[in-house]
Amino acid sequence: MTRHNPGVPTSRRNFLSLFGLGAVAVAGGPLLAGCSEAPAGSGNAQNLDAFGHLLPTQKDLTGSIAPDIVGTRPVPDGYTRYPANLVDLITEKPGTSGKEITAMTPAWGPAPPGIGQSAYLQAVNDELGVPVNFTIQDGITYADKLNAMLGARDVPDLLCIPSWEIDKIPRFAEAIGVLFEDLTDHLKGNAVEAYPMLGTFPTGAWRHAIWNERLAAVPNPTDGPFAWVMFTRKDLLDARSLTMPTTLEDLLTVAKEVTDPARKVWAFNDVFAMIQMYHKVPGAKQGWRLRSDGTPESKYETPEFRQALEVMAKIYQDGLVHPDIVASRGADAKQLFAKGGNIVFMQDGFGFWQGGQAEHQKVNKALNIQPVPNFSATGGDPLVWGSDQPISYTFVKKGLGEERVKELLRVINWCSAPLGSQEAQLRDFGVEGRHHTRTPNGPVKTDLAFKEINNQYFFISGRNPTIGPFADTPNYVRDALAYSNATVGYLEKDPWAGVKLEMPAAFKANQVPTEDKFTDVLRGRRPLSDVDSILQEWKAAGGEAARQLLADSLPKAG
C-alpha cells in the first residue's frame, strides 16, 4: 500500500491545532436537533463491548502471503518482497448499474486530476465497471468542508471521514442517524462473506465503526498506531557529522547548529505535538488522563503542558522554525523538508515517510529520511501518543436503496484487495508502462503516478493492516518496522479504552479556539502569563462538561 498520510494518526490521527475549523462553523444553530432524547450537544458514551453481536465475522483469505517481518500489535506486519505471481481475486465487475458514484476524500499536497483527466481513474473505473467521481478536498481544511456539508445535509454516495476529524463535528452521532445508511444487516456476522476483503479486517477496527448501537461505516484499519513522528534529514546530519539526537537537550543543540537563515535552512516546522510528547503530556481522548484520585485531568491543567509550552515558545523565540511556517498555515512543510532541505526536523504522520522518500530521492540520490527515536525530557520511559483507531471511515449516503448499497459495498470490497492481487497492484500502482515500470523487486512509480495517484481509492476502502513492499525504497519496510516495534511499547494507556465517546458540543466548538489561543502564546503574540486565563475560559466553555462526561463514562471502560 502506498499512502501519503497527513500526519495523522490514525491515524492517525492528528490534533486540532493543525486543522482550520472556525468556531462559527461548529457552534452554529441546531444542525440536527431532535434526533436524541438526550439534551442536544450534551455528549454521550457507549461501551463497545456490548455490541459484539453486530460485528462481521473475521476470516483470512485463503492463500494469504506470510509477512517477512511481524509487527508487535497494533503495529502491522511488513513485506520486503513483492509477490512474483499476482492473483485475480475478483472476476466479476463490482459495478452493475453504470450509474456514477460520487465520493469525497482528502488529499495533502496538490490535488490529483479528476475524472476525464486521469488515466489512473479511467483504468480503475474500467475495472470497477462503474465510474467513481471523486471530489478531492484539502486535508488541512477538511473539517470545514465536512461541517458545511453535514449542516446542509448534502453528502455524496461515499464519504470518507478521517477519524481525527470526527472529534470536531458536534452531535456527530445524530448526523449519522439522519444522513448515512445503517450497514449492520449487510455486514454483521456471516453476511460479510458477500464482501470477503472486508471480512479480513481486524475485529477491533469494526468495533470503532459502531455508532447509535449499529454498524454505521466501513473502517479503514490503521497501518500504524502512532499519531506523530519526528523525522530528520539524516543525510544533512551526516554531511555535518552530527549525530541523531537522543535527548531534548541534544535536539535543541543540533537545531541551533543547523539553523542558518543566510542559507535558508531552519531546524523545524511546527513541532509542538512532539514537544508535548517529550514532556509526557497526555494525548488520550484529546488530551485527558486520570489524577491519582481517579478524577479526569485535561492536559491544559498539567505542569507537563506548561513546560512543553515554554519550550516551544522558546523555539519560536530563538528563530528555529521556518518563517514560512510561522507566517502561514498554507506553507508546505513536506516540500521544505524533503525537497528543499530548508527544514531539517519535521513533525508529521508516519505515512509521509515512504512516499516522501520515494518521490524526492529521484532528484536527490543522497536523501535519507529517518525518524528520531522517541525520548523523555523528564526522565524515565518515553510516552507516545497513538491508538488502534482506524485511519478513517467510509459512510454510505442514506436512502439510495438496497441494491445501490450492495453495489457500493462491492466497490469498497474491490478497493480493499490485499497485497498479491491484481486489484491491489492497479489500485496502488496504476497501469504498467504509464504509472509504473516492472522490476524484479516490484513496481516502481513513474512521474505520472505521483501526479495522478493520491490514495483516492484507499480513502473509500481499507485493508488488513500491512506495509510494503516498495521497490523504490527497499530499506523502508525494515527501517519502519524496526522503529515501530521499538516504539510500540511506549504507547500511552487510554483510561477510556473500550468506550466510544462523543464529547459535548460546547467542548468540541471550543477546542480549536483554545488551541489558537495557545498558538498565540507560542508565537509571542500573547504572554505566557495568559495561560491561566485561557485555562479558565476553556473550563467555562465546555471543559468542565467534558470532565463530567469522562468521569461518568469510566465505569464503562474496559
Side-chain angles (χ1 to χ4, degrees):
M1 180 198 70
T2 55
R3 174 169 66 90
H4 299 281
N5 193 292
V8 184
T10 99
S11 106
R12 146 289 332 102
R13 75 201 71 7
N14 286 328
F15 282 79
L16 299 172
S17 58
L18 284 187
F19 298 92
L21 174 60
V24 175
V26 296
L31 168 66
L32 297 165
C35 298
S36 172
E37 295 180 1
S42 61
N44 61 73
Q46 289 186 325
N47 181 354
L48 296 178
D49 290 334
F51 306 111
H53 62 290
L54 303 182
L55 302 179
T57 301
Q58 199 277 338
K59 184 178 180 181
D60 293 336
L61 291 175
T62 303
S64 297
I65 304 170
D68 298 303
I69 304 174
V70 176
T72 303
R73 297 292 179 260
V75 171
D77 294 330
Y79 294 83
T80 61
R81 296 164 295 177
Y82 202 80
N85 299 306
L86 302 179
V87 296
D88 191 359
L89 290 175
I90 301 174
T91 56
E92 296 183 358
K93 293 184 184 296
T96 55
S97 70
K99 182 181 178 182
E100 181 178 274
I101 296 170
T102 57
M104 190 175 97
T105 59
W108 289 262
I115 196 168
Q117 300 175 311
S118 169
Y120 169 67
L121 294 182
Q122 182 65 50
V124 178
N125 286 343
D126 284 348
E127 284 297 309
L128 292 175
V130 62
V132 181
N133 189 359
F134 290 93
T135 297
I136 306 294
Q137 296 292 333
D138 184 355
I140 300 296
T141 56
Y142 203 67
D144 292 330
K145 183 64 177 179
L146 286 171
N147 273 280
M149 177 179 286
L150 298 179
R153 304 192 182 192
D154 182 17
V155 298
D157 299 333
L158 298 176
L159 178 62
C160 168
I161 303 185
S163 59
W164 58 89
E165 303 289 19
I166 289 171
D167 291 336
K168 307 171 196 174
I169 303 173
R171 302 186 296 280
F172 182 64
E174 297 176 32
I176 286 176
V178 173
L179 299 176
F180 301 117
E181 193 71 30
D182 179 353
L183 301 178
T184 308
D185 292 337
H186 292 277
L187 297 171
K188 72 176 181 180
N190 292 331
V192 79
E193 291 179 359
Y195 315 100
M197 312 306 169
L198 306 188
T200 67
F201 293 1
T203 298
W206 287 109
R207 290 173 76 247
H208 287 288
I210 292 174
W211 278 272
N212 304 321
E213 304 184 6
R214 303 294 286 173
L215 202 57
V218 176
N220 188 342
T222 182
D223 60 355
F226 310 115
W228 296 106
V229 180
M230 181 74 88
F231 292 106
T232 188
R233 284 286 302 273
K234 191 171 184 301
D235 55 303
L236 298 181
L237 296 184
D238 291 345
R240 300 187 57 173
S241 300
L242 297 171
T243 59
M244 186 76 77
T246 58
T247 67
L248 181 59
E249 183 179 6
D250 287 347
L251 178 63
L252 297 179
T253 298
V254 173
K256 292 174 182 177
E257 188 163 348
V258 299
T259 298
D260 187 350
R263 295 175 51 244
K264 297 185 178 181
V265 176
W266 286 264
F268 299 120
N269 68 333
D270 184 353
V271 294
F272 187 40
M274 290 301 305
I275 297 299
Q276 291 179 71
M277 283 170 51
Y278 294 152
H279 286 84
K280 300 186 183 181
V281 174
K285 297 296 184 286
Q286 303 171 66
W288 290 86
R289 69 184 181 192
L290 296 180
R291 300 186 181 99
S292 58
D293 64 359
T295 58
E297 176 181 46
S298 167
K299 70 176 185 178
Y300 299 139
E301 303 169 294
T302 66
E304 293 92 338
F305 181 76
R306 184 72 65 98
Q307 291 171 345
L309 199 68
E310 292 173 355
V311 169
M312 190 69 214
K314 187 68 162 55
I315 287 172
Y316 275 108
Q317 182 182 338
D318 290 345
L320 302 179
V321 178
H322 194 288
D324 288 356
I325 303 296
V326 177
S328 170
R329 287 185 177 181
D332 193 339
K334 294 175 175 61
Q335 293 289 317
L336 293 169
F337 173 77
K339 181 179 180 180
N342 308 104
I343 293 173
V344 180
F345 295 94
M346 183 183 72
Q347 170 189 294
D348 210 314
F350 197 94
F352 157 78
W353 186 358
Q354 191 279 329
Q357 177 71 37
E359 181 175 1
H360 296 289
Q361 71 183 8
K362 293 188 297 181
V363 175
N364 178 8
K365 301 299 183 184
L367 179 70
N368 186 7
I369 298 171
Q370 291 292 327
V372 176
N374 288 274
F375 51 78
S376 168
T378 58
D381 290 336
L383 178 144
V384 176
W385 293 348
S387 75
D388 66 347
Q389 189 173 5
I391 298 165
S392 59
Y393 301 91
T394 298
F395 293 88
V396 175
K397 183 178 181 178
K398 193 168 188 174
L400 298 177
E402 183 175 358
E403 290 307 312
R404 179 64 162 176
V405 171
K406 289 180 178 178
E407 180 180 45
L408 296 175
L409 288 173
R410 290 195 300 269
V411 167
I412 295 171
N413 180 68
W414 187 100
C415 295
S416 302
L419 175 71
S421 66
Q422 297 279 5
E423 294 83 0
Q425 176 161 297
L426 178 60
R427 179 198 63 221
D428 292 341
F429 295 101
V431 178
E432 183 178 356
R434 299 198 69 179
H435 299 102
H436 71 265
T437 56
R438 185 184 302 187
T439 77
N441 297 317
V444 174
K445 284 184 174 181
T446 64
D447 289 340
L448 182 63
F450 284 111
K451 178 183 178 182
E452 293 189 347
I453 303 175
N454 202 332
N455 302 308
Q456 297 97 313
Y457 296 94
F458 169 82
F459 274 115
I460 58 166
S461 65
R463 60 213 52 114
N464 209 30
T466 59
I467 58 173
F470 302 96
D472 45 4
T473 55
N475 296 324
Y476 167 73
V477 173
R478 294 192 185 280
D479 288 350
L481 267 295
Y483 171 85
S484 297
N485 283 336
T487 303
V488 68
Y490 302 123
L491 278 175
E492 178 185 24
K493 302 298 185 290
D494 181 356
W496 293 272
V499 176
K500 180 182 284 292
L501 287 165
E502 174 148 2
M503 302 300 273
F507 175 82
K508 289 187 176 186
N510 192 41
Q511 279 301 91
V512 169
T514 298
E515 292 285 322
D516 287 344
K517 293 173 186 177
F518 284 120
T519 296
D520 287 341
V521 173
L522 290 175
R523 301 190 181 190
R525 297 189 289 261
R526 295 181 66 164
L528 279 164
S529 58
D530 279 3
V531 170
D532 288 336
S533 63
I534 295 172
L535 177 59
Q536 293 308 312
E537 292 165 2
W538 169 84
K539 288 181 178 180
E544 289 299 344
R547 190 194 318 277
Q548 187 62 54
L549 175 65
L550 288 162
D552 292 344
S553 66
L554 273 171
K556 299 179 182 180

